[in-house]
Amino acid sequence: MPEILKLAVAQSRTLASTRETLEALFAITGSAAKQDVHLILFPEAYLGGYPRTCSFGAAVGARDPSGRDQFLQYFHSAVDLGDTPVGAGDDWIDKRLPCAKGEDIRGDGTREKLEKIARDTGVFIITGLVERSGGSLYCAVVYVCPEKGILGKRRKVMPTGSERLIWAQGSPSTLRAITTRIAGVKLTLAAAICWENYMPLLRHSLYSQNVNLYLAPTADARDTWLPLMRTIACEGRAVVLSANQCMRRRHLPPWIIGDQKKRNLNGSTSSSIVEKPNRRTSIVTKTEDNHEITWPPTEARSSKPGVVDDTLDDEMFTSRALAASGASVESGAEIDATRRDLKSAAMDSSTAVDSEEDNEFVSRGGSSIIGAMGEVLAGPLWDVEDGGLLSVEVDFEDCERGRLDLDVAGSYSRNDAFQLIVKGLDITPPP
């Protein structure tokens, strides 16, 4: 008898606050429930946010104070699930950790809200989030059952690139798969977050646990991502769900956008923290005798095309513009009128540049659902910022059909010669 479940991925972006994002998660999950979806995956860092394009004022050997202010904002936007920095494992899952005096729960209540959403909608929820514990942040994923609440949580063991500045490393013990039954179908599910999927040994630790539902919340919108998801599905003979955010620049948090616009107006870049401000630029030329002549600057330079630098002398600006256009100057009135027209055009150009930049995608999405033989069942979904929801019915017996000729952790593994050991993690299939 077929073992069919309806699965979904939500291509949803983080909103301005955790409260708003949780409300959106509730609405999206409720909409999925009306479509008879059994299980839904949300993107990496959906709660708390993925700080795309933010440098946090950091360069090798230097930190800018404004970057610390950005980190403060980001730290406050993360959620507190009440776990310990090391990770309390089953004691946290089973709610055996002590609460503060006079409190009924640990953390900020996000865990309880997620459990209520799952319970009210009847949908099994997996979502990425940024978890605050002690003085560090962790990129994490929680598995939320409608009946039993949170069944597991794992923290990203290998943040990528600049993520390592803001996210601590999670314990490999959290890679333990969980088992559950949904509508009579037994699932063994686990998550690999974003570029953890490029770690072959980490993937194999999940294959070894006989995972049939492989979850890949991500922030990667490159065209190389879909082939990777197809490879994992084919390699592991597992159904793969991948969810990513789609976002335009204007929807980045204000503490990111504001800092970037400030830097642009000042004509600086991320490396400006090690540069000396207010230095005049000069032009250096060499004579035939190899002597250097330093000329004073002849014109002010702006940080954007079409932006008029306020330090540029008005008359000089107008004269040069007229000369460049081939026009002649006959009176002061004409100069004034031309000056206004030129400045107006420059400001219009500046506004157009800003508008174009605000509307550009900083992440195009690319969410997808892949079948157990590597076939694309839904997606990839591109350039859909709000309301992106992919859903499809999947027969999990396809995972077993695929084992006829490939079981990379069993019959096709030569485990008499090749063995994987992960410190702190039992990689045998869970009961």
Side-chain angles (χ1 to χ4, degrees):
M1 182 177 179
E3 297 186 341
I4 296 176
L5 292 177
K6 192 167 187 180
L7 311 177
V9 296
Q11 186 161 290
S12 306
R13 62 181 175 90
T14 304
L15 301 181
S17 68
T18 298
R19 178 185 59 79
E20 291 175 77
T21 308
L22 279 169
E23 289 174 354
L25 186 148
F26 184 24
I28 294 165
T29 306
S31 176
K34 293 177 181 178
Q35 300 176 42
D36 299 321
V37 167
H38 296 97
L39 179 147
I40 188 169
L41 173 69
F42 286 85
E44 177 183 18
Y46 180 57
L47 300 177
Y50 189 84
R52 196 178 295 276
T53 76
C54 186
S55 69
F56 291 95
V60 176
R63 311 285 182 271
D64 188 89
S66 64
R68 299 188 186 279
D69 291 335
Q70 287 181 317
F71 183 73
L72 178 65
Q73 296 285 335
Y74 190 50
F75 193 85
H76 289 168
S77 70
V79 300
D80 181 359
L81 300 177
D83 200 359
T84 64
V86 175
D90 288 342
D91 285 339
W92 177 79
I93 293 170
D94 297 334
K95 300 183 179 180
R96 294 196 296 261
L97 296 177
C99 297
K101 185 175 292 186
E103 300 290 341
D104 296 328
I105 62 172
R106 288 176 62 92
D108 61 11
T110 298
R111 172 180 181 164
E112 288 71 23
K113 290 173 183 174
L114 286 171
E115 291 177 332
K116 186 177 187 304
I117 292 172
R119 185 167 59 249
D120 290 349
T121 60
V123 177
F124 196 109
I125 299 170
I126 304 99
T127 187
L129 51 84
V130 180
E131 179 188 6
R132 182 176 70 248
S133 184
S136 293
L137 301 180
Y138 300 85
C139 180
V141 168
V142 289
Y143 314 112
V144 193
C145 174
E147 299 172 0
K148 301 178 181 179
I150 288 184
L151 299 181
K153 171 172 66 73
R154 63 152 311 221
R155 292 169 173 171
K156 194 173 187 177
V157 301
M158 191 68 258
T160 302
S162 299
E163 295 172 0
R164 295 173 202 161
L165 177 67
I166 54 174
W167 293 343
Q169 294 180 334
S171 170
S173 64
T174 64
L175 285 162
R176 185 62 174 164
I178 67 165
T179 57
T180 188
R181 284 191 177 273
I182 301 178
V185 179
K186 182 179 179 180
L187 296 180
T188 302
L189 57 91
I193 306 171
C194 203
W195 273 27
E196 287 183 333
N197 288 283
Y198 282 117
M199 301 171 67
L201 297 183
L202 187 146
R203 295 205 310 261
H204 194 74
S205 73
L206 303 187
Y207 300 153
S208 298
Q209 297 177 67
N210 201 33
V211 166
N212 62 357
L213 181 57
Y214 187 110
L215 305 159
T218 188
D220 191 338
R222 297 171 178 85
D223 57 7
T224 52
W225 187 254
L226 183 65
L228 176 63
M229 295 298 98
R230 298 188 67 182
T231 296
I232 290 171
C234 181
E235 191 173 60
R237 293 299 196 249
V239 176
V240 174
L241 304 183
S242 183
N244 189 14
Q245 299 191 42
C246 178
M247 184 176 288
R248 297 180 188 272
R249 186 175 299 278
R250 68 172 180 267
H251 289 140
L252 290 170
W255 51 267
I256 295 180
I257 297 175
D259 183 71
Q260 289 176 344
K261 287 188 175 180
K262 181 180 178 181
R263 293 204 311 271
N264 288 339
L265 286 173
N266 291 333
S268 62
T269 64
S270 59
S271 63
S272 63
I273 59 176
V274 294
E275 294 177 352
K276 295 181 180 179
N278 301 323
R279 286 195 61 181
R280 296 178 61 191
T281 58
S282 302
I283 299 175
V284 179
T285 60
K286 288 187 177 183
T287 67
E288 294 180 355
D289 297 328
N290 207 33
H291 296 299
E292 290 187 353
I293 301 176
T294 302
W295 302 93
T298 57
E299 62 181 26
R301 299 180 181 183
S302 71
S303 60
K304 287 183 181 179
V307 178
V308 179
D309 195 315
D310 289 337
T311 63
L312 184 62
D313 179 77
D314 283 349
E315 188 170 349
M316 183 186 298
F317 173 82
T318 306
S319 299
R320 287 178 181 171
L322 286 170
S325 65
S328 61
V329 181
E330 296 183 359
S331 70
E334 289 179 359
I335 290 177
D336 290 339
T338 306
R339 180 184 300 145
R340 287 193 298 271
D341 291 343
L342 288 170
K343 281 200 168 184
S344 176
M347 294 303 295
D348 289 344
S349 175
S350 173
T351 302
V353 170
D354 286 342
S355 178
E356 183 178 348
E357 289 179 352
D358 288 345
N359 283 321
E360 72 179 2
F361 286 103
V362 293
S363 176
R364 295 182 56 229
S367 303
S368 62
I369 300 176
I370 314 297
M373 298 296 288
E375 71 276 24
V376 178
L377 301 179
L381 185 62
W382 299 111
D383 300 342
V384 177
E385 189 178 29
D386 296 304
L389 184 69
L390 300 176
S391 63
V392 67
E393 288 189 342
V394 174
D395 184 358
F396 278 87
E397 286 191 335
D398 287 344
C399 301
E400 296 167 346
R401 292 185 180 97
R403 301 298 175 91
L404 169 67
D405 51 4
L406 186 65
D407 179 7
V408 295
S411 63
Y412 214 84
S413 69
R414 286 303 304 271
N415 52 26
D416 58 322
F418 302 97
Q419 294 183 0
L420 174 64
I421 298 173
V422 183
K423 292 182 179 180
L425 175 66
D426 178 8
I427 62 172
T428 59

